[in-house]
Amino acid sequence: MTMRTSPKKYVFPEGFLWGTATAAHQIEGNNTNSDWWEWERTKIPRSLMSSPGHEYPLEESSIACDSYNRYEEDFDLCTKMNNNAIRMSVEWSRIEPKDGTFDPDQIDHYKKVIKSAKDRGLKVFVTLHHFTNPKWFSNLGGWENSKSPYYFSRYAKKCADEFGQITEAFITINEPQVYALQGFLKGEWYPCKRSFLLSLKVQLNFMRANNMAYDVIKAAYKNYKVGLVKNIVWYKNVGGFTDMLWVKLLNFLNSDFFIWPIRKHLDFVGLNFYFTTYIKDWRTANPDDRNSDLYWWINPEGLEKVLFGLKKYNLPVYVTENGLADSKDRLRKDFIHDMIVACGKALEKGVDLKGYFHWSLIDNFEWAHGFWPRFGLVEVDRRHDLKRTPRPSMFYYGSICKDNYIEE
Ligand code: BGC
């Protein structure tokens, strides 16, 4: 006789945060003072793009999802899926449109936005830098300028002064290494440079910027929580001895290399997890069994491993982004299930995981790819007044958020 065992249940700690993540430039629309806006109008040469068939001409972010005006409707969706948190970003180029000049109207706007999320029972994580810069800052050399940490921390302090009372936590910088590699090593994003040394310099400036912002905020407001969001890829050796050495180096470079030096200037670590890369003969050797629309391989084991790798920092950890491009919503439900089980496993192994934010709430502007990759739990119909329609996976995610547990 075969015994049926009941599925394993992972119960999340009380107060665990369940939410979604967004970024200003990707959803707000008309972000006209930013360098990315300007760059969208210059177009990227075809040869630099990596998604054949979708590369040229680049779409412009234009009205995006009009969330600058429709944020209440967006937050209602969060309530609909039983969320108790949201990660959003404020746009530096709106708040400080000129060097050293802050715009009180835009500050009021963001106060309204944050309050409206709070009124719906959402704890608000505010990202201060999510890939876009004010034009004036770029014109001064952007993140290559050794004064960039100073400019950034001045803006960060202003945000703390204005939004700190209504914000759960601040995230200084989103994915600094992705920005440095895309823009300064691979040349695929603004400012399209290809220099190892420059990309290193930009990373170092980001480290300094995080530390300076942390220090100025904490000096004024001891209790405010300040962290940084790091994208981490899990590399796994499926080859020989030299692959093993290469994998060790890659795992180091995309995690501890950046986090270790700034660890004393972090109250928590935010993890964006999207990829696992198997390495054999020094090359990517991923199975081809489950791929998103962007051909990103889905591998929940990677999330568990990366979370476990963060345990040594003895800091609270949040999964601040995790999601997939899946326009037909074919894979998203299983993806969510498997990734959240991976979170449960990491918790069991002692990782101080405090929350999970799915990327993304709504379909949005996916940077150099334009609008075609659909990351939203909610579909945005670009032909019909940006109408928001929940996908089935949104209700599934909502049920997990409500239960606060998941069965394997
Ligand atoms: C970024 C998001 C982006 C997502 C999917 C992350 O790298 O923070 O802005 O949309 O991944 O590519």
Side-chain angles (χ1 to χ4, degrees), residues 290-310:
R290 274 169 98 195
N291 287 318
S292 76
D293 295 348
L294 275 165
Y295 276 87
W296 295 358
W297 178 47
I298 299 166
N299 178 252
E301 189 194 2
L303 176 55
E304 188 191 333
K305 297 283 181 194
V306 171
L307 282 171
F308 190 71
L310 292 172

Short mmCIF file of all heavy atoms in Angstrom, two decimals, residues 290-310:
data_model
loop_
_atom_site.label_atom_id
_atom_site.label_comp_id
_atom_site.label_asym_id
_atom_site.label_seq_id
_atom_site.Cartn_x
_atom_site.Cartn_y
_atom_site.Cartn_z
N ARG A 290 12.19 25.69 -19.18
CA ARG A 290 11.18 26.69 -18.79
C ARG A 290 11.75 28.08 -19.03
O ARG A 290 12.55 28.56 -18.24
CB ARG A 290 10.87 26.57 -17.30
CG ARG A 290 9.81 25.57 -16.93
CD ARG A 290 9.85 25.39 -15.42
NE ARG A 290 8.84 26.19 -14.73
CZ ARG A 290 8.85 26.42 -13.43
NH1 ARG A 290 9.82 25.97 -12.67
NH2 ARG A 290 7.89 27.13 -12.87
N ASN A 291 11.33 28.71 -20.10
CA ASN A 291 11.85 30.05 -20.39
C ASN A 291 10.72 31.07 -20.46
O ASN A 291 9.63 30.79 -20.96
CB ASN A 291 12.57 30.05 -21.75
CG ASN A 291 13.90 29.33 -21.66
OD1 ASN A 291 14.64 29.50 -20.70
ND2 ASN A 291 14.18 28.50 -22.65
N SER A 292 11.03 32.26 -19.99
CA SER A 292 10.06 33.35 -20.08
C SER A 292 10.07 33.89 -21.52
O SER A 292 10.87 33.47 -22.34
CB SER A 292 10.43 34.46 -19.10
OG SER A 292 11.51 35.19 -19.63
N ASP A 293 9.21 34.88 -21.79
CA ASP A 293 9.17 35.47 -23.13
C ASP A 293 10.51 36.12 -23.51
O ASP A 293 10.79 36.31 -24.68
CB ASP A 293 8.07 36.55 -23.21
CG ASP A 293 6.68 35.96 -23.04
OD1 ASP A 293 6.55 34.72 -23.09
OD2 ASP A 293 5.71 36.75 -22.87
N LEU A 294 11.30 36.48 -22.50
CA LEU A 294 12.61 37.07 -22.79
C LEU A 294 13.70 35.99 -22.85
O LEU A 294 14.89 36.31 -22.86
CB LEU A 294 12.97 38.09 -21.70
CG LEU A 294 12.43 39.52 -21.86
CD1 LEU A 294 12.55 40.29 -20.55
CD2 LEU A 294 13.18 40.28 -22.95
N TYR A 295 13.30 34.76 -22.80
CA TYR A 295 14.23 33.63 -22.76
C TYR A 295 15.10 33.62 -21.52
O TYR A 295 16.24 33.21 -21.54
CB TYR A 295 15.06 33.54 -24.06
CG TYR A 295 14.26 32.80 -25.08
CD1 TYR A 295 13.36 33.48 -25.90
CD2 TYR A 295 14.30 31.41 -25.16
CE1 TYR A 295 12.55 32.81 -26.78
CE2 TYR A 295 13.50 30.74 -26.03
CZ TYR A 295 12.61 31.43 -26.84
OH TYR A 295 11.79 30.75 -27.69
N TRP A 296 14.53 34.10 -20.43
CA TRP A 296 15.22 33.97 -19.15
C TRP A 296 14.77 32.65 -18.54
O TRP A 296 13.58 32.40 -18.37
CB TRP A 296 14.87 35.13 -18.21
CG TRP A 296 15.33 36.47 -18.70
CD1 TRP A 296 16.05 36.74 -19.84
CD2 TRP A 296 15.09 37.73 -18.08
NE1 TRP A 296 16.27 38.10 -19.95
CE2 TRP A 296 15.69 38.73 -18.88
CE3 TRP A 296 14.43 38.14 -16.92
CZ2 TRP A 296 15.64 40.09 -18.57
CZ3 TRP A 296 14.39 39.48 -16.59
CH2 TRP A 296 15.00 40.45 -17.41
N TRP A 297 15.75 31.82 -18.22
CA TRP A 297 15.44 30.49 -17.70
C TRP A 297 14.93 30.58 -16.26
O TRP A 297 15.51 31.30 -15.43
CB TRP A 297 16.69 29.61 -17.78
CG TRP A 297 16.50 28.23 -17.24
CD1 TRP A 297 15.46 27.39 -17.51
CD2 TRP A 297 17.37 27.55 -16.33
NE1 TRP A 297 15.63 26.21 -16.83
CE2 TRP A 297 16.79 26.29 -16.10
CE3 TRP A 297 18.57 27.87 -15.70
CZ2 TRP A 297 17.37 25.34 -15.25
CZ3 TRP A 297 19.15 26.94 -14.87
CH2 TRP A 297 18.56 25.69 -14.65
N ILE A 298 13.88 29.85 -15.97
CA ILE A 298 13.26 29.92 -14.64
C ILE A 298 13.85 28.83 -13.75
O ILE A 298 13.74 27.64 -14.05
CB ILE A 298 11.73 29.73 -14.76
CG1 ILE A 298 11.16 30.86 -15.63
CG2 ILE A 298 11.08 29.70 -13.39
CD1 ILE A 298 9.75 30.63 -16.10
N ASN A 299 14.50 29.25 -12.66
CA ASN A 299 15.15 28.29 -11.79
C ASN A 299 15.06 28.72 -10.32
O ASN A 299 15.90 29.46 -9.82
CB ASN A 299 16.62 28.13 -12.21
CG ASN A 299 17.36 27.17 -11.30
OD1 ASN A 299 18.18 27.58 -10.49
ND2 ASN A 299 17.04 25.91 -11.41
N PRO A 300 14.03 28.25 -9.60
CA PRO A 300 13.82 28.67 -8.21
C PRO A 300 14.96 28.28 -7.28
O PRO A 300 15.19 28.96 -6.27
CB PRO A 300 12.54 27.94 -7.80
CG PRO A 300 11.91 27.49 -9.07
CD PRO A 300 12.98 27.34 -10.08
N GLU A 301 15.67 27.22 -7.61
CA GLU A 301 16.80 26.81 -6.76
C GLU A 301 17.79 27.98 -6.61
O GLU A 301 18.38 28.19 -5.56
CB GLU A 301 17.51 25.60 -7.38
CG GLU A 301 18.56 25.00 -6.45
CD GLU A 301 19.51 24.03 -7.16
OE1 GLU A 301 19.38 23.85 -8.39
OE2 GLU A 301 20.37 23.48 -6.47
N GLY A 302 17.94 28.73 -7.70
CA GLY A 302 18.86 29.86 -7.68
C GLY A 302 18.48 30.88 -6.61
O GLY A 302 19.33 31.44 -5.92
N LEU A 303 17.18 31.11 -6.47
CA LEU A 303 16.73 32.08 -5.47
C LEU A 303 17.10 31.60 -4.07
O LEU A 303 17.63 32.36 -3.25
CB LEU A 303 15.21 32.30 -5.60
CG LEU A 303 14.57 33.22 -4.56
CD1 LEU A 303 15.24 34.59 -4.51
CD2 LEU A 303 13.07 33.40 -4.83
N GLU A 304 16.84 30.33 -3.82
CA GLU A 304 17.17 29.79 -2.49
C GLU A 304 18.67 29.93 -2.20
O GLU A 304 19.08 30.35 -1.13
CB GLU A 304 16.75 28.32 -2.46
CG GLU A 304 16.86 27.70 -1.08
CD GLU A 304 16.70 26.19 -1.15
OE1 GLU A 304 16.02 25.67 -2.06
OE2 GLU A 304 17.29 25.52 -0.27
N LYS A 305 19.48 29.59 -3.21
CA LYS A 305 20.94 29.65 -3.03
C LYS A 305 21.41 31.07 -2.77
O LYS A 305 22.24 31.32 -1.92
CB LYS A 305 21.66 29.12 -4.27
CG LYS A 305 21.39 27.67 -4.55
CD LYS A 305 22.18 26.79 -3.63
CE LYS A 305 21.89 25.33 -3.96
NZ LYS A 305 22.34 24.39 -2.95
N VAL A 306 20.89 32.00 -3.57
CA VAL A 306 21.34 33.39 -3.42
C VAL A 306 20.91 33.94 -2.06
O VAL A 306 21.69 34.61 -1.37
CB VAL A 306 20.82 34.26 -4.58
CG1 VAL A 306 21.09 35.72 -4.32
CG2 VAL A 306 21.47 33.84 -5.89
N LEU A 307 19.68 33.61 -1.66
CA LEU A 307 19.23 34.07 -0.34
C LEU A 307 20.15 33.51 0.74
O LEU A 307 20.56 34.23 1.66
CB LEU A 307 17.79 33.62 -0.09
CG LEU A 307 16.70 34.43 -0.79
CD1 LEU A 307 15.34 33.76 -0.64
CD2 LEU A 307 16.63 35.86 -0.22
N PHE A 308 20.48 32.25 0.60
CA PHE A 308 21.34 31.63 1.61
C PHE A 308 22.72 32.31 1.64
O PHE A 308 23.29 32.53 2.71
CB PHE A 308 21.46 30.13 1.34
CG PHE A 308 22.14 29.42 2.47
CD1 PHE A 308 21.51 29.26 3.70
CD2 PHE A 308 23.45 28.96 2.33
CE1 PHE A 308 22.15 28.65 4.76
CE2 PHE A 308 24.09 28.33 3.39
CZ PHE A 308 23.44 28.18 4.60
N GLY A 309 23.19 32.71 0.47
CA GLY A 309 24.49 33.37 0.38
C GLY A 309 24.50 34.72 1.10
O GLY A 309 25.56 35.24 1.46
N LEU A 310 23.32 35.29 1.32
CA LEU A 310 23.26 36.61 1.98
C LEU A 310 23.23 36.50 3.51
O LEU A 310 23.34 37.49 4.22
CB LEU A 310 22.02 37.38 1.51
CG LEU A 310 22.04 37.81 0.04
CD1 LEU A 310 20.69 38.38 -0.38
CD2 LEU A 310 23.14 38.86 -0.19
#
